[in-house]
Amino acid sequence: MTEIHSFQPLLNNTTDLTRFRGTYFLTEFESRIGDEHHYWKLSLADSSGELTVYCYDPEFIQDYIAVDMYVQIEVVRKSTRGCEFVQCVQLHRWEREQEKRLSPMQLPRCMCPKPQALDWFLDFRNRIRVQNLRRFLDRVIMQPHVSMAFLTAPASLETHYSYPGGLIEHSVATAWSVIGYQDHSSVERDLAIVAALLHDIGKTQTMTSDLVKTRLGRLVNHNHLTLEICADALAEMDLLAPGLGDQLRHAWTSAETDSECCEPEQSRLAERLEECDLNSFSEHVVFP
């Protein structure tokens, strides 16, 4: 086995790595006793799969650790008596201020009720060529109060995609439809992808994976929450790429524009997003 050191590899690409480190979602953290020794069994997850890791030294665990959180970990692959295993040599909790460094590639595929929809979401994300738009998408999705809800929430409680994982499936279906127009410029195409993937992101705060409306959802329309969830990322993009954020704001809100707006007409992007959104209510897109 070749000695390879790597930072943040996808878990399904670590078979030939003898040592690597990165930030992963923790789905299991279990204390065990074996051969009179106390050890911990960990299950790490990302968008590619899962990996079981063992920790035999409590000094390697530097912080309070719990399941359903991101952890920073360094591991080595070892072999004892013909048995190969992955051992933890350093483990830290992920801190909130590191949020901007997380990528949707680190979303736990095993936690998504519709894993193929996550695959397609990541495919769309990786197609985005305008780096400011890709960064914007990452920042919005990887907020702690948004990411897991985006994977598990329904798109509605009674009509379209009304099941766990329906929100991401509906978002991807809308993106697939909106890029079907052949007259997009490169930037327009990227804007259309981002607008479609995030057009219902407010629903992460209004419905749960148990198909229950949240307290906030009973008080506030999800469309208003979409702008709130995107606010920090929009402010950053206003500085880095003036104009792009305004087009997204318009695409998400033009259907509710009041008479005081100076330009109530919908942009081409807004019209197409609304049409594709409505079309996905009545039919599910079958991806190739």
Side-chain angles (χ1 to χ4, degrees):
M1 183 179 294
T2 305
E3 179 74 18
I4 302 175
H5 291 258
S6 182
F7 176 73
Q8 204 58 57
L10 289 173
L11 291 175
N12 68 348
N13 293 334
T14 62
T15 303
D16 294 327
L17 302 181
T18 58
R19 191 181 192 101
F20 68 91
R21 58 191 174 95
T23 301
Y24 301 96
F25 193 79
L26 188 65
T27 60
E28 181 181 359
F29 186 59
E30 182 180 335
S31 176
R32 293 186 173 187
I33 299 294
D35 296 330
E36 300 182 356
H37 294 289
H38 186 198
Y39 68 97
W40 290 264
K41 179 185 177 184
L42 297 74
S43 290
L44 307 176
D46 66 9
S47 63
S48 71
E50 298 177 84
L51 180 69
T52 298
V53 176
Y54 297 94
C55 182
Y56 298 101
D57 190 337
E59 291 187 1
F60 292 155
I61 304 176
Q62 300 295 320
D63 307 299
Y64 168 75
I65 303 295
V67 296
D68 296 339
M69 67 184 297
Y70 283 96
V71 293
Q72 296 175 304
I73 189 169
E74 183 172 355
V75 304
V76 295
R77 192 176 295 274
K78 293 189 173 183
S79 180
T80 301
R81 299 174 183 175
C83 180
E84 188 175 276
F85 62 98
V86 181
Q87 180 177 332
C88 168
V89 295
Q90 199 66 257
L91 182 66
H92 296 275
R93 67 178 292 133
W94 168 83
E95 299 297 341
R96 175 65 184 271
E97 57 267 22
Q98 297 169 318
E99 172 185 309
K100 294 181 182 180
R101 292 161 55 184
L102 288 177
S103 160
M105 302 302 292
Q106 293 162 274
L107 289 170
R109 191 175 192 273
C110 61
M111 302 294 286
C112 184
K114 299 293 179 179
Q116 187 182 28
L118 175 58
D119 296 341
W120 276 95
F121 170 83
L122 294 173
D123 181 72
F124 277 122
R125 181 258 182 191
N126 293 335
R127 295 186 193 187
I128 298 172
R129 298 178 182 177
V130 178
Q131 290 303 311
N132 285 321
L133 285 172
R134 182 185 290 191
R135 174 183 171 87
F136 172 84
L137 178 67
D138 290 359
R139 281 207 61 188
V140 173
I141 290 295
M142 297 311 294
Q143 294 175 93
H145 66 298
V146 174
S147 58
M148 293 306 298
F150 183 63
L151 297 183
T152 60
S156 71
L157 294 181
E158 297 178 353
T159 54
H160 62 294
Y161 299 87
S162 53
Y163 42 78
L167 177 58
I168 186 172
E169 199 169 55
H170 166 63
S171 301
V172 168
T174 304
W176 179 260
S177 296
V178 80
I179 67 168
Y181 294 95
Q182 300 300 311
D183 55 350
H184 288 302
S185 69
S186 179
V187 175
E188 286 174 336
R189 182 173 177 274
D190 286 357
L191 273 167
I193 291 174
V194 173
L197 292 177
L198 296 180
H199 78 283
D200 271 346
I201 199 67
K203 292 181 178 179
T204 59
Q205 310 305 302
T206 63
M207 293 178 286
T208 71
S209 60
D210 298 325
L211 307 186
V212 175
K213 184 166 286 190
T214 65
R215 177 179 176 276
L216 182 59
R218 294 193 294 270
L219 298 172
V220 182
N221 185 286
H222 73 271
N223 290 325
H224 299 290
L225 294 173
T226 291
L227 288 181
E228 180 178 310
I229 290 170
C230 296
D232 288 346
L234 282 169
E236 179 183 76
M237 193 157 65
D238 287 342
L239 296 174
L240 299 175
L244 294 182
D246 291 344
Q247 293 185 61
L248 291 173
R249 291 180 178 99
H250 175 73
W252 293 329
T253 64
S254 62
E256 300 179 356
T257 298
D258 59 35
S259 59
E260 296 181 0
C261 182
C262 298
E263 297 183 9
E265 297 85 3
Q266 284 187 314
S267 66
R268 184 170 68 173
L269 171 60
E271 290 177 349
R272 291 176 174 179
L273 177 61
E274 183 176 7
E275 180 182 353
C276 293
D277 183 23
L278 292 174
N279 287 342
S280 72
F281 287 10
S282 58
E283 61 180 25
H284 289 249
V285 175
V286 178
F287 303 110

